[in-house]
């Protein structure tokens, strides 16, 4: 199973109670708030797989985008509790999406599995 599938399944379950939709690409029918993520980099060292994922949280206001980003971070910080994946926050920032004209926050996680 691809790492993207594993992380998406985890986030879908973790964020479902908050009604947060998680996608691997921008959906055709764009909801008011959602999270999309993509693989940025992948590698392997001593047979340990590693990758970097970028998470983008979209919302109608800057404040809501920041809250959504925080929920993603809280979920990702628990990834190791139910999987064999270790996640380490690599950074993030406020990054409005000018093409979609939406507020957006980004965070990056380095995963080892």
């Amino acid at each position: 199973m691809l790492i993207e599938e594993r992380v998406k399944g985890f986030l879908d379950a973790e964020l479902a109670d908050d009604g947060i939709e998680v996608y691997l690409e921008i959906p055709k029918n764009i909801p008011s708030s959602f999270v999309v993520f993509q693989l940025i980099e992948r590698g392997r060292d001593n047979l340990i797989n590693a990758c970097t994922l970028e998470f983008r949280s979209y919302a109608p206001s800057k404040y809501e985008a920041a809250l959504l980003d925080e929920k993603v971070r809280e979920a990702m910080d628990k990834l190791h509790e139910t999987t064999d994946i270790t996640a380490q926050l690599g950074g993030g920032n406020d990054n409005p999406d000018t093409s979609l004209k939406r507020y957006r926050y980004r965070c990056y996680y380095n995963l080892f599995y």
Side-chain angles (χ1 to χ4, degrees), residues 14 49 55 62 87:
E14 196 67 28
N49 293 312
F55 296 87
K62 187 174 183 175

Side-chain angles (χ1 to χ4, degrees), residues 43-113:
R44 181 178 295 140
D45 189 22
N46 291 327
L47 301 177
I48 298 173
N49 293 312
C51 70
T52 301
L53 298 178
E54 175 193 42
F55 296 87
R56 297 182 307 261
S57 300
Y58 290 85
S61 74
K62 187 174 183 175
Y63 177 74
E64 290 171 301
L67 286 177
L68 189 52
D69 181 69
E70 191 59 33
K71 287 181 187 271
V72 169
R73 290 174 184 229
E74 289 171 3
M76 288 300 293
D77 288 344
K78 295 192 282 186
L79 183 63
H80 71 281
E81 294 175 4
T82 56
T83 70
D84 62 347
I85 304 167
T86 301
Q88 179 182 9
L89 180 63
N93 62 334
D94 172 17
N95 183 259
D97 186 330
T98 57
S99 64
L100 291 180
K101 296 182 179 160
R102 295 278 183 113
Y103 293 99
R104 173 178 71 184
Y105 268 70
R106 295 190 297 191
C107 64
Y108 302 89
Y109 271 85
N110 301 308
L111 276 53
F112 304 93
Y113 54 102

Side-chain angles (χ1 to χ4, degrees), residues 4-5 8 22-26 35-39 56:
E4 295 93 335
E5 291 175 312
K8 183 174 183 327
V22 180
Y23 300 94
L24 295 173
E25 59 186 315
I26 302 288
V35 174
V36 64
F37 75 95
Q38 69 182 26
L39 180 74
R56 297 182 307 261

